[in-house]
Amino acid sequence: MRIMVPATTTNLGAGFDVFGLALDLFNEVFFSFDTDRTIIESTGKYAPDLENHDLFFEVFEFFEKKTGYRVPPVRISQVCNIPISSGLGSSAAVIVSALHIANVGTKANLSQWDLMKLAAEIEGHPDNVVPAFVGGLVVCYQDGENFDFEKFELDFELTFLVPSFSLCTNTMRKVLPRQVLFEDAVFNIKNSCQFLAKIASGKLNEAFKYVGDRLHQNYRINGNEKMKEFVEAILSKKPGYWFVSGSGPSVCTDLEDFEGIPYLKEVLKLKVNNRGLIISE
Ligand SMILES: Nc1ncnc2c1ncn2[C@@H]1O[C@H](COP(=O)(O)OP(=O)(O)OP(=O)(O)O)[C@@H](O)[C@H]1O
Ligand SMILES: N[C@@H](CCO)C(=O)O
């Protein structure tokens, strides 16, 4: 059996923990239950960047605690095509695939809606896992038990500048302020609403004028010397738009000239994936 889970970018500037977008880049996860112990193997471009497979086991444990089912031993072989700890949803791809494997192996047969809620609970925010499940641009709502989302299907390509250093989302969430200025909150509301209104009206080119943020990006950029240098070099080239992908360090921008940007490891040009995850026997 196989499940392919897409990379995702989130926040898109002002939509912190709310906007998520699935991309045309997938981790492939092959799995079978004909084994007497759980074995996980990783191959693919980014497999060398992996330190361990703990996240799979954390998800299985969470699933067992939440459902009461025991996840049977499983042989997993994953192809890591999504950069790790780079702001492109690598952890969400694992969480979604591991929940699917647990759901199949236990025959718990949870609905996709319930799996999405579990995934958002594990990750601590819904904006990577929801688009990983359903594809497209999603606007997520999660407040305690209340969970909802709407999806928009789009057709465009985004450019991501991926640096050679990585940032851990959990760490990047801890650097965020507990309180913000009223005018900064209003700034983000204006931008996120206008971004979404342009998307909903099909005015895609105008949408990316509204990816400004004052709630999270600066705290994350200024909290890491390499990230600060990386973003300052990008801004010195006066991009039409830019935003930090997820919790970083990758940056999405419309730049074409990447000359002299420090720590730049690779440039990924990724189309929107409106399909979400792909399950096959
Ligand atoms: N293919 C994988 N197999 C096993 N564990 C993985 C895999 N990809 C990511 N992880 C785990 O997820 C962690 C990275 O999660 P993190 O949320 O920090 O980064 P990200 O998901 O790539 O970025 P963002 O959440 O900002 O999009 C890694 O340190 C590793 O523990
Ligand atoms: N909205 C989350 C996304 C992490 O990928 C954050 O910025 O922490």
Side-chain angles (χ1 to χ4, degrees):
M1 290 173 275
R2 179 182 77 159
I3 179 170
M4 291 174 65
V5 189
T8 49
T9 184
T10 58
N11 304 329
L12 287 86
F16 181 77
D17 275 8
V18 171
F19 293 161
L21 183 68
L23 300 163
D24 223 6
L25 177 69
F26 293 81
N27 275 357
E28 275 190 282
V29 185
F30 299 87
F31 61 98
S32 68
F33 296 102
D34 64 347
T35 172
D36 56 9
R37 64 191 178 87
T38 293
I39 302 162
I40 304 178
E41 291 151 351
S42 296
T43 58
K45 181 173 179 184
Y46 301 104
D49 301 333
L50 262 188
E51 286 166 14
N52 57 57
H53 293 126
D54 294 354
L55 186 54
F56 278 98
F57 295 99
E58 287 164 30
V59 175
F60 292 158
E61 224 173 283
F62 184 88
F63 187 90
E64 290 176 344
K65 211 166 61 197
K66 284 290 199 180
T67 63
Y69 287 92
R70 291 269 316 137
V71 178
V74 55
R75 175 188 299 279
I76 296 172
S77 168
Q78 64 165 343
V79 183
C80 305
N81 300 311
I82 301 172
I84 314 277
S85 297
S86 296
L88 287 166
S90 67
S91 57
V94 173
I95 290 167
V96 171
S97 52
L99 282 174
H100 170 73
I101 291 167
N103 201 32
V104 171
T106 60
K107 299 186 177 54
N109 209 14
L110 268 61
S111 67
Q112 184 171 85
W113 187 269
D114 287 337
L115 289 175
M116 276 194 271
K117 285 177 72 173
L118 285 183
E121 193 178 341
I122 297 169
E123 176 115 287
H125 49 90
D127 47 335
N128 284 101
V129 290
V130 176
F133 271 101
V134 301
L137 172 77
V138 295
V139 183
C140 315
Y141 182 88
Q142 186 192 27
D143 182 19
E145 265 307 295
N146 298 325
F147 172 81
D148 202 353
F149 73 91
E150 284 301 333
K151 169 182 172 180
F152 296 85
E153 298 210 353
L154 303 170
D155 178 15
F156 63 89
E157 183 179 80
L158 288 172
T159 299
F160 294 88
L161 308 191
V162 184
S164 53
F165 58 91
S166 60
L167 292 177
C168 162
T169 298
N170 289 339
T171 309
M172 287 297 108
R173 287 179 79 86
K174 288 181 186 137
V175 305
L176 298 177
R178 301 316 310 151
Q179 289 182 327
V180 294
L181 291 175
F182 184 78
E183 53 263 36
D184 289 347
V186 171
F187 178 86
N188 271 51
I189 291 171
K190 286 194 297 191
N191 270 319
S192 51
C193 289
Q194 200 59 19
F195 175 83
L196 194 52
K198 294 296 182 187
I199 292 287
S201 318
K203 298 173 183 170
L204 207 51
N205 294 337
E206 295 179 40
F208 285 84
K209 288 195 294 194
Y210 301 101
V211 293
D213 157 73
R214 289 190 191 159
L215 296 188
H216 58 102
Q217 292 180 151
N218 281 343
Y219 297 97
R220 293 171 159 174
I221 292 164
N222 296 328
N224 179 293
E225 255 328 291
K226 289 182 179 175
M227 187 63 179
K228 198 161 178 296
E229 267 184 76
F230 183 58
V231 171
E232 280 171 358
I234 291 168
L235 296 188
S236 70
K237 293 175 177 292
K238 304 205 179 333
Y241 68 81
W242 70 281
F243 57 87
V244 175
S245 180
S247 61
S250 299
V251 169
C252 181
T253 175
D254 61 349
L255 278 184
E256 289 299 326
D257 160 27
F258 312 120
E259 188 62 38
I261 296 177
Y263 309 111
L264 182 59
K265 179 173 78 173
E266 59 183 322
V267 176
L268 297 178
K269 289 185 178 288
L270 299 172
K271 287 188 183 308
V272 174
N273 152 32
N274 290 308
R275 196 174 155 185
L277 58 78
I278 301 169
I279 293 168
S280 48
E281 279 310 306

